């Protein structure tokens, strides 16, 4: 299409008839060709290796075909849920814990999965196997499915399952980060506890933080207690060396946070921590803690060295946080059935 420079009285760009007629009408194969060249042009640091879709009932390794229907209720109404599992050295880390939350989220969103849990699990493992990815991420969605563009999902034919394997070889980042208190409102508990695709507040919160030169924003709950970050939980090591974490009744119950609580028990036995507790954490307590950390599947364990204007501890990556990160990194290599699910390549 030609560049448009003329504006009408209201300041909007005005398109002439000739310019509109420049939009090509594409056949299915021409559209596929365009999708292919688009994918070749826009190569980022992540590679999309395989996608399963219950629409085509199979797996594709062609990124151009990794698409979902426009009329899927998840696309135009946000009626979908998702989850993520790390692929480490050919094992899926805590797959069952993520799968449990995925099924729970679907139930809250009133999405009846197209297959039973065992079948979904098998499809996810096969998708990773087909991708040949040994280190990366598996992301998966349950949507109300395609049908029409109405608000009600009653016209959706059948719920859908989508899954994608993403290769991302960025190394784990150990460096401490700065966070800010988020001004973007937190989601109400019913929605914050569900991992739905409605991440607009999370995206805006992340953007706001980046504009302020920070890594992420920290949400406070309706009572002013520390809640969570836009894609991670938060924990603190108090001056008394207690590991404290906000309760999960108003935020997403993170799989990483839960695992860290279990792994941290060894630090209590060694006397490095005096205890572990889930409780309401006030901003004052958080900002005066010896250590603050972010916990999530994407970042694993990340030290926070500054929250707003307050330097946390001595302004360096905390020793307990570092130890917890090392414990998680070790744990990710575990082949214990409850922790690592092997992928048969
Ligand atoms: C809002 C929110 N909180 C917390 C988490 C951390 O959860 P997990 O450790 O299971 O990745 C996530 C993960 O994406 C999230 O989106």
């Amino acid at each position: 299409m030609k560049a448009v420079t003329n504006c009408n009285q209201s300041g909007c760009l005005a398109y002439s008839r000739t310019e509109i007629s420049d939009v090509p009408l594409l056949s299915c194969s021409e559209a596929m060709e365009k999708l292919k060249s688009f994918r070749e042009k826009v190569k980022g640091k992540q590679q999309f290796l395989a996608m399963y879709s219950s629409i085509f009932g199979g797996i594709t390794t062609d990124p151009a075909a990794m698409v979902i229907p426009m009329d899927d209720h998840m696309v135009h109404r946000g009626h979908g849920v998702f989850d993520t599992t790390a692929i480490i050295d050919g094992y899926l880390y805590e797959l069952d814990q993520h799968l449990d939350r995925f099924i729970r989220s679907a139930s809250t969103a009133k999405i009846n999965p197209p297959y039973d849990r065992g079948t979904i699990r098998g499809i996810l493992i096969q998708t990773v196997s087909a991708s040949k990815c040994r280190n990366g991420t598996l992301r998966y969605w349950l949507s109300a499915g395609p049908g029409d563009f109405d608000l009600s999902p009653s016209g959706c034919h059948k719920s859908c399952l989508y899954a994608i394997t993403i290769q991302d070889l960025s190394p784990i980042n150990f460096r401490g980060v700065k966070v800010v208190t988020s001004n973007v409102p937190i989601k109400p508990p019913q929605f914050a506890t569900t991992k739905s695709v409605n991440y607009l507040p999370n995206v805006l919160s992340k953007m706001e933080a980046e504009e302020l030169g920070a890594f992420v924003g920290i949400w406070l709950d309706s009572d002013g207690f520390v809640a969570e970050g836009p894609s991670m939980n938060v924990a603190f090591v108090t001056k008394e060396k207690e590991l404290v974490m906000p309760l999960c009744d108003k935020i997403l119950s993170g799989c990483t946070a839960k695992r860290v609580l279990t792994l941290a028990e060894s630090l209590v036995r060694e006397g490095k921590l005096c205890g572990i507790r889930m409780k309401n954490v006030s901003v004052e307590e958080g900002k005066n803690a010896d250590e603050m950390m972010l916990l999530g599947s994407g970042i694993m364990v990340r030290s926070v060295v500054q929250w707003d204007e307050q330097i946390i501890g001595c302004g360096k990556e905390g020793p307990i946080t570092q130890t917890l990160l090392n414990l998680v990194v070790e744990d990710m290599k575990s082949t214990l059935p409850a922790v690592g699910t092997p992928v048969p390549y």
Side-chain angles (χ1 to χ4, degrees), residues 98 101 195 199 202 228-233 252 254-256 295-297:
H98 285 273
R101 184 173 66 188
K195 205 163 163 62
Y199 263 48
N202 311 51
E228 62 180 342
S231 61
M232 64 279 290
N233 294 104
L252 194 76
C255 297
T256 316
L295 308 158
S297 302

Side-chain angles (χ1 to χ4, degrees), residues 83-103:
D83 222 296
T84 308
T85 300
I87 309 161
I88 312 288
D89 297 336
Y91 282 78
L92 287 160
Y93 183 57
E94 292 213 291
L95 172 65
D96 288 300
Q97 292 79 343
H98 285 273
L99 207 42
D100 286 346
R101 184 173 66 188
F102 186 50
I103 303 288

Side-chain angles (χ1 to χ4, degrees), residues 65-81:
M66 296 179 191
V67 292
I68 62 173
M70 189 77 178
D71 57 335
D72 191 313
H73 225 227
M74 180 166 78
V75 176
H76 61 95
R77 303 289 172 182
H79 194 181
V81 297

Side-chain angles (χ1 to χ4, degrees), residues 29-189:
S29 56
E30 284 166 337
M32 277 311 293
E33 276 314 308
K34 295 274 181 194
L35 279 171
K36 269 184 193 292
S37 60
F38 168 75
R39 279 291 161 213
E40 265 145 37
K41 264 186 264 158
V42 290
K43 283 210 171 106
K45 69 178 166 72
Q46 296 183 338
Q47 269 183 288
F48 312 144
L49 301 180
M51 180 202 181
Y52 170 84
S53 166
S54 59
I55 296 281
F56 39 79
I59 299 165
T60 177
T61 54
D62 184 344
M66 296 179 191
V67 292
I68 62 173
M70 189 77 178
D71 57 335
D72 191 313
H73 225 227
M74 180 166 78
V75 176
H76 61 95
R77 303 289 172 182
H79 194 181
V81 297
F82 76 108
D83 222 296
T84 308
T85 300
I87 309 161
I88 312 288
D89 297 336
Y91 282 78
L92 287 160
Y93 183 57
E94 292 213 291
L95 172 65
D96 288 300
Q97 292 79 343
H98 285 273
L99 207 42
D100 286 346
R101 184 173 66 188
F102 186 50
I103 303 288
R104 266 200 321 271
S105 295
S107 158
T108 315
K110 299 189 177 176
I111 295 169
N112 189 18
Y115 316 116
D116 63 27
R117 189 187 188 284
T119 308
I120 294 176
R121 191 178 189 278
I123 289 171
L124 296 180
I125 295 172
Q126 277 186 61
T127 306
V128 179
S129 173
S131 76
K132 301 191 171 66
C133 178
R134 302 194 78 89
N135 286 290
T137 309
L138 172 69
R139 286 181 170 265
Y140 34 101
W141 293 261
L142 275 168
S143 79
D148 54 37
F149 288 91
D150 286 352
L151 184 59
S152 163
S154 57
C156 298
H157 302 297
K158 199 170 186 248
S159 60
C160 286
L161 173 69
Y162 306 110
I164 193 159
T165 303
I166 304 157
Q167 181 152 295
D168 189 352
L169 302 173
S170 349
I172 293 178
N173 199 329
F174 291 79
R175 286 197 54 200
V177 292
K178 177 186 166 185
V179 298
V180 288
T181 305
S182 180
N183 286 307
V184 176
I186 186 169
K187 285 183 255 193

